[in-house]
Amino acid sequence: MSAAEEASAQEPYDPEARGLRLVFVLLALTVVSGLIDAVSYLGLGRVFTANMTGNVVVLGFAAAGAPGFSVRHTSTSLGFFLLGAVTGGRLALRVGSGPRRTWTRLTLTAEAALLALSAAVAFARPHATGTVYALIALTGYAMGLRNATVRKLGVAAISTTTVLTMTLTGLAAESRLGGAPGRRSPRRTASVVAMLAGAFLGAWLVLHHGLGIPLLVAALTSGVLAVVASGRE
């Protein structure tokens, strides 16, 4: 047996290390967030279901009577996002003390199921009156659930759904140009690029293929991540 094989054999088994690192999982989920907000804003009446900072601003526009915005839509999104976050908090209390890999995969499985149900509704009843509210509720709940989990996981410099103002601020203020080492600049840059890519892909799919296809893509992506995610940062 070689020295490398002997060292490997002596290392303790770490189930958390199996699978894709959380940094890459969260970057992929940031793409999904951009995609979901493209679906909700462009296809569900100018409402955000992943980005709640934007949604609160939109709610202010709607309350002031700005044309094209709906208090009911934005309130539904905000309410179900918060409900999902409450569920995520309760889930963290139950399983958060165990392996992060199990916790992460459980949350992503739930997200994938909710997004798959959203896609099914969009395909089955694309023009029904209740479809808009159903899609807002399902995607908002899924994003709240995931965001609560990501917050508890505490992976530095990546949040997947939080508005990118602070990410961009940190990217500039803590860069070498800003007088700091810039150690987290690659993650922050990747997070911005991931959100932009998701928004672009989501917008293109909505404009050319309707709501079902981008929701299905989001569901499949979350489902794959639920299978391959590890518990290591």
Side-chain angles (χ1 to χ4, degrees):
M1 182 181 293
S2 67
E5 290 174 334
E6 289 179 359
S8 178
Q10 293 174 359
E11 290 178 357
Y13 171 70
D14 182 9
E16 293 278 50
R18 293 180 55 194
L20 188 65
R21 289 176 56 191
L22 284 175
V23 169
F24 301 112
V25 171
L26 298 189
L27 285 174
L29 290 175
T30 304
V31 175
V32 173
S33 296
L35 196 155
I36 292 297
D37 268 341
V39 169
S40 61
Y41 193 83
L42 298 177
L44 302 177
R46 294 188 180 184
V47 60
F48 293 104
T49 59
N51 176 5
M52 285 301 112
T53 303
N55 201 48
V56 170
V57 173
V58 167
L59 182 59
F61 294 162
F69 298 95
S70 168
V71 171
R72 288 181 294 178
H73 287 175
T74 49
S75 297
T76 300
S77 175
L78 184 60
F80 275 89
F81 182 94
L82 292 174
L83 184 59
V86 168
T87 305
R90 299 294 295 183
L91 183 64
L93 288 175
R94 288 183 174 273
V95 300
S97 60
R100 293 210 300 180
R101 177 169 172 262
T102 301
W103 178 22
T104 302
R105 291 186 174 195
L106 181 62
T107 300
L108 293 183
T109 298
E111 176 180 322
L114 289 164
L115 295 180
L117 181 57
S118 300
V121 171
F123 281 123
R125 300 177 65 85
H127 305 297
T129 303
T131 296
V132 169
Y133 286 99
L135 297 184
I136 290 173
L138 288 167
T139 57
Y141 186 90
M143 294 298 100
L145 173 64
R146 183 230 285 176
N147 206 41
T149 301
V150 170
R151 184 174 183 273
K152 294 285 188 179
L153 288 172
V155 177
I158 304 177
S159 63
T160 79
T161 59
T162 302
V163 68
L164 294 178
T165 302
M166 292 307 297
T167 301
L168 290 167
T169 301
L171 180 62
E174 297 179 16
S175 66
R176 292 184 178 179
L177 189 62
R183 289 190 300 269
R184 293 177 180 170
S185 293
R187 287 190 184 186
R188 289 179 171 131
T189 302
S191 184
V192 173
V193 172
M195 184 68 76
L196 179 63
F200 175 86
L201 175 61
W204 188 86
L205 289 172
V206 169
L207 293 174
H208 293 88
H209 300 286
L211 301 180
I213 294 294
L215 287 170
L216 181 59
V217 170
L220 290 174
T221 302
S222 296
V224 169
L225 293 172
V227 174
V228 303
S230 73
R232 58 181 178 142
E233 183 174 334

